[in-house]
Structures are given as structure tokens and as C-alpha cells.
Amino acid sequence: MIGMMQHNFPKLKNDRFLRAARGEEVDKIPVWIMRQAGRYLPEFREFRTKHDFFSICQTPEFACEVTLQPIKRFNLDASIIFSDILVIPQAMGLIVEMKPGVGPVIPQPIANPGELSRLRIPNIEKDLGYVGHAITLTRHRLEGKVPLIGFTGAPWTLMGYMIQGGGSSTMAHARSWLYKYPEDSLKLLQLITDVIVDYLVMQVKAGAQALQVFESHADYLNDELFDKYSLPFLNQISKRVKSKLNELQILDVPMIVFPKGATYDSLELLAKDQCYDVIGLDWTVNPVEARERFGSNITIQGNMDPCAMYSTEKEVYTRAREIANTFGKSRYIANLGHGILPDTPLSSVEAFIRGVHSI
Ligand code: 1CP
């Protein structure tokens, strides 16, 4: 098998996360936190005063340093490369700005189907190669401490930003495209999917040991829209990435899907299709029902409410234990139900991890 060997990466010492993702036995429940490299960390805030958001993403030394920050501080079982889902729209030719306190903004979004011609198909190595370089560097600097996760935004979530121009409480503009321009919507989703497939393969070649697909905007879709505009593309991504890696004779890696806010029926369909090794759940999903409905052939990841991190340290510890206990030690990866919030106390992070590991 090529790929991993070529880089001569340090030997992995803690494989709990990868074992749980593949459904193998673990000594302790693995835990990591979405957005674990971020503004709740004083060292990240300090770094951000010196560097612009996208310069950090585009400079492998910087992205690597920030990725390692939470690993140095906490007893986490996985790392995730520092980047953003919006690097794809950027590589496709759109301007993306990171507005402090607001988030990403696309000042000139795609206004109508006629403007789809503004998008270009990126050259992955040339336009997004910096993410690969950051991954390779980080794999070396991690010294095998924990595995490194690569990631992407899912097609519908990225389409949302590309049309809406930024975050939104309704995604009404992007969602109305699905009714007004169904064919163009499918065309755009397919275009984004093709880019994502090559982008993820590149990340694995560079050293990513697992991949997470963030469908953070699933909450805007009902079952009918999810079936047509999200599910087929999510499944296509996993199948094509795995088969391309196979063709290249590179060992495939566990694939995680995080469809935030998807309905139980949508989640069930995704779990039953078995294209993903792991399904990430947001905090509204009941652990007992999740196990019943999604079966035992998929690993579950999640799902403590990020706001529960604001209770006392003792309560965070107890709640983490309870959630971990309910999901159980088999086929489970502990995480929050969405990204950690910027002013989360560091003591809560420590208590959450300790609670999970106490099972
Ligand atoms: O530690 C890590 O998790 C790695 C870094 C990471 C990841 C995985 C960042 C850095 N962003 C992401 C993914 C991402 N980005 C998602 C999917 C996860 C999720 O649902 O939260 C989404 C939707 C984005 C888009 C985005 N980028 C938002 C949300 C805006 C909205 O309202 O829709 C925001 C606020 C950002 C900025 C951002 N990305 C990452 C960080 C640390 C930040 C904060 C900005 C800063 O430091 O100035």
C-alpha cells in the first residue's frame, strides 16, 4: 500500500478513535470536540491577534500550530486539521471574508443560475494543496500521539453559503433555489460534489487518517428535500472517495458524516445506506432512540449540548459520563452535538474529557 508509507509518518500510539470508527473494541471511549482548535482557547485568540483567519489556513506552519494547541492542553483522542469548510467556494472562485464576531461572508454570492458560470473547477493540488501540506506537516508534528482528521463541508451546506452569502437563520434564499431552480440546484450540487471527492482523496494522500463531512445545514431540509438534495450527494462522496483510494492502492479511512439537525427519518436512511462508518448526532437526538433506529453497524458520534458546558464542572463530568454510558463503549465516539462555543470554560473541556474516559 502506498501513501502512508511514502511519508514515513511516526507510528500511531493512540488508535482508540480509529478503532471505534471501524467498530473494533476499545480500552476507553474516544473523545474529541468539534471546533476544538478555536476561540475558547487563549492561545488561539492570541495567535489570531497576529494572523488573519485565512492566512492561518493557508500557511501550513500556522495551521499545524493551531491544530496542535488543543492536543497539547487536553487528553483528546483525535485531532482535526485547522481549516474551514469555505475554502472550497474560495477555490471555486468566490471571495470569502471572515468577519470578526460574524463568521464567513461571501460579498458577491451566486445571485441566479445564470451566474453559475462565475464558478470554476479548481485544480486541487494547486488551489487547495496548502491543506494537504498542513496535513502532512501536522502528521509529523503530532508524533503519533493521536490520529488526524481531515474534513469538508457537504454539498448542500456549501451551496447554502454560496447562494446566501453567509450564515442565515432561514437559508430562505438558498432553500428557495431548490423549488425555483431544481435542475440548476442539482447541477451545482454535483459540481461541488466532484470537487469534494478530489479534495478528500488529496487529504488522505497527504496523511488524513479519517474524514468528516459537515452537513451543518441539514436542519433546513425536510425529509423530501434531504432525500433529493443531500442524501444522494453524501453517499456519492463516500463511495467515490473509497473507490478512488482503492484504485490508487491507498488504504481507505473511516468516513464520518455530521448531518446537523437532520430528522430521525433522514438519519435512519443515512445509517441504513452504510456508506459512512460513523454518523455524528447533534444534541437534540435521543441516545437510546439513536441506537434503536440506526442499528449496530454504524458508529455513533456525539452529542452533548455545547451549552451544557456552562453548567458546573461537576455537572459537566457527570453528564458526560451519563451520555457515554447510555451510548455504550461499543461503536461510540464522544463529542459535543455541535461546535464548542467561543467562551466555554477550559475547566469544562477538561471535565467533559475526564467524564468520558471514566467509563
Ligand atoms: O478545530 C476544528 O474543529 C477545526 C477547524 C474548523 C472546522 C472543522 C473551523 C475553524 N471551521 C470548521 C468547520 C466549519 N466552518 C463548519 C462546520 C462545522 C459547524 O457546523 O460548525 C461551518 C458551518 C463553518 C463556517 C463557519 N466558519 C462559521 C459558521 C458561520 C455561520 O453562522 O454559518 C464560522 C463562525 C466560521 C469561522 C471559524 N472557522 C473556524 C474557526 C476557529 C472560526 C472562528 C473564526 C475566527 O477565529 O475568527
Side-chain angles (χ1 to χ4, degrees):
M1 289 284 171
I2 54 167
M4 308 301 104
M5 269 36 155
Q6 280 174 336
H7 293 296
N8 216 355
F9 288 133
K11 190 174 177 310
L12 185 60
K13 294 169 197 147
N14 172 354
D15 65 350
R16 260 179 218 146
F17 164 81
L18 294 178
R19 293 183 65 84
R22 294 194 215 102
E24 297 165 5
E25 259 182 50
V26 288
D27 60 335
K28 279 180 194 294
I29 293 171
V31 53
W32 70 281
I33 296 174
M34 287 188 277
R35 296 280 185 100
Q36 63 191 25
R39 279 178 302 171
Y40 73 101
L41 285 177
E43 54 272 35
F44 178 81
R45 289 197 299 271
E46 157 72 19
F47 203 82
R48 276 285 277 123
T49 60
K50 290 183 273 172
H51 306 284
D52 158 76
F53 182 83
F54 286 112
S55 320
I56 302 179
C57 297
Q58 289 159 10
T59 314
E61 278 285 339
F62 293 173
C64 171
E65 178 164 347
V66 172
T67 301
L68 295 179
Q69 284 177 348
I71 304 303
K72 287 178 185 153
R73 199 184 255 275
F74 303 111
N75 200 6
L76 291 157
D77 297 304
S79 58
I80 180 162
I81 193 66
F82 188 83
S83 184
D84 197 76
I85 63 168
L86 276 306
V87 299
I88 287 187
Q90 218 172 32
M92 292 175 82
L94 297 179
I95 293 167
V96 184
E97 291 164 3
M98 197 54 79
K99 290 254 155 81
V102 178
V105 173
I106 297 179
Q108 292 151 301
I110 305 288
N112 55 60
E115 288 196 17
L116 287 174
S117 58
R118 282 174 49 209
L119 297 175
R120 62 185 189 90
I121 297 171
N123 173 328
I124 298 295
E125 296 293 337
K126 189 169 149 284
D127 300 321
L128 290 162
Y130 63 86
V131 178
H133 295 140
I135 288 173
T136 305
L137 180 65
T138 306
R139 272 295 300 274
H140 285 291
R141 296 264 169 89
L142 272 166
E143 297 173 344
K145 206 170 168 199
V146 292
L148 179 61
I149 306 170
F151 72 91
T152 181
W156 156 247
T157 295
L158 293 179
M159 172 181 166
Y161 284 109
M162 288 161 90
I163 290 169
Q164 200 74 36
S168 155
S169 62
T170 59
M171 280 287 149
H173 198 45
R175 197 146 43 91
S176 54
W177 262 54
L178 307 179
Y179 296 96
K180 278 201 290 188
Y181 316 120
E183 291 311 316
D184 292 298
S185 296
L186 289 170
K187 208 171 100 189
L188 174 56
L189 290 165
Q190 188 59 56
L191 187 70
I192 302 170
T193 299
D194 294 344
V195 176
I196 289 173
V197 169
D198 289 342
Y199 179 49
L200 292 180
V201 169
M202 182 276 282
Q203 292 189 36
V204 176
K205 280 194 202 161
Q209 290 155 293
L211 296 169
Q212 176 151 323
V213 180
F214 284 95
E215 186 67 293
S216 304
H217 293 170
D219 42 5
Y220 300 106
L221 303 177
N222 60 22
D223 290 334
E224 187 193 333
L225 295 178
F226 184 84
D227 273 14
K228 185 168 175 187
Y229 296 107
S230 175
L231 184 67
F233 297 99
L234 290 173
N235 284 345
Q236 201 192 122
I237 289 168
S238 177
K239 282 188 198 147
R240 284 175 59 194
V241 168
K242 291 200 178 201
S243 95
K244 278 208 178 190
L245 291 172
N246 226 311
E247 268 167 41
L248 294 167
Q249 293 191 296
I250 298 172
L251 274 178
D252 70 16
V253 300
M255 305 241 346
I256 308 166
V257 61
F258 175 60
K260 186 190 163 278
T263 67
Y264 274 101
D265 286 349
S266 295
L267 291 169
E268 198 171 348
L269 283 179
L270 201 45
K272 294 270 149 72
D273 285 340
Q274 293 197 6
C275 291
Y276 286 85
D277 306 274
V278 184
I279 189 164
L281 305 178
D282 69 58
W283 70 92
T284 66
V285 178
N286 177 291
V288 176
E289 195 160 347
R291 276 290 185 219
E292 272 171 25
R293 291 190 61 166
F294 311 149
S296 51
N297 282 331
I298 192 159
T299 296
I300 288 175
Q301 176 175 280
N303 73 344
M304 193 171 91
D305 187 343
C307 290
M309 296 289 252
Y310 298 104
S311 55
T312 66
E313 207 180 302
K314 195 156 169 275
E315 281 166 338
V316 171
Y317 174 84
T318 310
R319 187 167 275 112
R321 259 181 78 88
E322 269 170 24
I323 294 175
N325 228 341
T326 315
F327 278 116
K329 218 170 186 171
S330 150
R331 296 221 81 147
Y332 175 59
I333 296 165
N335 204 315
L336 299 181
H338 199 194
I340 186 166
L341 293 162
D343 53 355
T344 300
L346 296 172
S347 54
S348 293
V349 178
E350 191 273 330
F352 175 68
I353 297 168
R354 202 159 32 83
V356 172
H357 282 162
S358 72
I359 301 293

